[in-house]
């Protein structure tokens, strides 16, 4: 079902891209912005390794994984981006991977022949995980026709800001999902987890206990 959902998302992306091209500002170049992790590259092998170690995430393990540049592609992602290239739509990879992960990330994208896999189009996290400043910079010269990601903050920082009612913001932007925003499923991790946890430096057992308490039942 996960594979089917990613194909479905990128099939919608193709249709939406064609619609967006009809009204795009001809004074600017066209582009799509994609996140990388769980949007175009699949990191489930790293998640499997962490589970076997009994942890949910370890930064050292993550950086060892990204340095290898061997993540497989998310089903449908490559086909969609090559489709976009046929219409002279450039691809920007806006990711919260860090600067020292650049070489492994670029190697991974080039390994599969992703379009625009170069220094100008691979934009990593240099100062903040908020992607809005990076999107704004791209917007100066490009029409951003579509944004693809597995996290709401991949689309707009109205979902990123603290003390925001994310559910309310999603309802307000419902007309954009499937037309301007293409959401990929990520059952492994995400910002949604943070809502469960109170306290700092929690052990995995403590996180599990808090998740259990947060479950809705009848």
């Amino acid at each position: 079902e996960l594979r089917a959902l990613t194909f479905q998302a990128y099939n919608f992306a193709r249709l939406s891209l064609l619609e967006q091209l009809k009204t795009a500002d001809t004074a600017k170049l066209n582009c799509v912005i994609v996140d990388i992790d769980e949007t175009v590259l699949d990191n489930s092998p790293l998640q499997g390794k962490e589970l076997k170690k009994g942890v949910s995430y370890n930064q050292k393990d993550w950086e060892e994984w990204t340095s290898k540049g061997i993540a497989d592609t998310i089903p449908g992602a490559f086909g969609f981006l090559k489709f976009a290239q046929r219409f002279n739509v450039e691809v920007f990879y806006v990711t919260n991977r860090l600067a020292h992960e650049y070489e492994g990330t670029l190697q991974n994208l080039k390994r599969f022949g992703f379009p625009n896999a170069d220094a100008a189009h691979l934009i990593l996290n240099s100062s903040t995980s908020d992607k809005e400043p990076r999107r704004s910079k791209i917007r100066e010269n490009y029409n951003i026709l579509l944004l693809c990601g597995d996290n709401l903050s991949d689309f707009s920082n109205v979902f990123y800001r603290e003390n925001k009612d994310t559910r309310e913001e999603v309802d307000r932007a419902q007309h954009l999902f499937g037309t301007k925003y293409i959401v990929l499923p990520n059952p492994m991790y995400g910002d949604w987890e943070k809502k469960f946890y109170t306290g700092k430096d929690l052990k995995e057992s403590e996180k599990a206990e808090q998740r259990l308490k947060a479950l809705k039942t009848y």
Side-chain angles (χ1 to χ4, degrees):
E1 285 81 2
L2 175 65
R3 189 174 184 85
L5 282 170
T6 60
F7 281 132
Q8 177 177 270
Y10 280 117
N11 284 340
F12 264 107
R14 291 182 185 228
L15 296 173
S16 297
L17 181 67
L18 294 177
E19 286 301 310
Q20 295 291 333
L21 281 167
K22 292 177 182 178
T23 57
D25 180 0
T26 57
K28 289 184 175 182
L29 298 169
N30 295 318
C31 78
V32 295
I33 293 179
V34 295
D35 174 48
I36 289 181
D37 299 308
E38 279 49 74
T39 299
V40 297
L41 294 181
D42 173 13
N43 298 298
S44 57
L46 182 275
Q47 297 296 321
K49 179 177 180 177
E50 300 294 64
L51 282 171
K52 286 189 173 184
K53 289 176 62 177
V55 300
S56 61
Y57 179 79
N58 178 278
Q59 183 66 22
K60 183 179 178 182
D61 290 345
W62 170 259
E63 292 180 7
E64 177 186 337
W65 164 252
T66 59
S67 71
K68 294 179 182 296
I70 58 172
D72 202 352
T73 61
I74 293 294
F78 179 76
F80 166 65
L81 297 181
K82 293 296 286 185
F83 176 81
Q85 188 180 42
R86 282 168 45 194
F87 295 90
N88 297 315
V89 176
E90 296 180 35
V91 182
F92 284 92
Y93 303 89
V94 180
T95 174
N96 275 332
R97 292 190 180 195
L98 302 174
H100 58 268
E101 298 178 79
Y102 172 82
E103 290 299 334
T105 303
L106 187 61
Q107 172 190 321
N108 208 154
L109 294 172
K110 285 185 172 182
R111 180 179 179 218
F112 293 104
F114 275 99
N116 302 119
D118 55 44
H121 293 82
L122 175 55
I123 306 175
L124 293 91
N125 179 356
S126 60
S127 59
T128 174
S129 58
D130 183 354
K131 294 182 175 181
E132 194 61 34
R134 285 171 276 171
R135 288 191 289 260
S136 295
K137 187 68 176 175
I138 294 169
R139 201 173 283 115
E140 290 176 6
N141 299 305
Y142 289 84
N143 300 309
I144 301 175
L145 302 182
L146 286 181
L147 300 104
C148 306
D150 67 310
N151 191 302
L152 289 172
S153 61
D154 292 326
F155 308 114
S156 168
N157 73 346
V158 301
F159 306 115
Y160 181 91
R161 299 171 192 152
E162 294 293 330
N163 303 317
K164 276 281 187 177
D165 185 330
T166 306
R167 185 187 181 99
E168 184 179 295
E169 292 296 339
V170 166
D171 288 351
R172 187 174 288 119
Q174 61 182 282
H175 62 290
L176 296 173
F177 295 107
T179 56
K180 186 82 172 181
Y181 302 159
I182 305 298
V183 186
L184 279 296
N186 179 356
M188 296 185 292
Y189 62 86
D191 282 349
W192 52 269
E193 292 179 87
K194 297 175 184 176
K195 301 284 281 187
F196 293 116
Y197 307 133
T198 56
K200 294 182 179 180
D201 302 319
L202 295 173
K203 297 177 182 177
E204 291 303 319
S205 59
E206 293 172 323
K207 288 183 177 180
E209 184 179 353
Q210 290 189 23
R211 288 196 299 268
L212 186 62
K213 287 181 177 177
L215 285 176
K216 293 182 178 179
T217 61
Y218 68 93

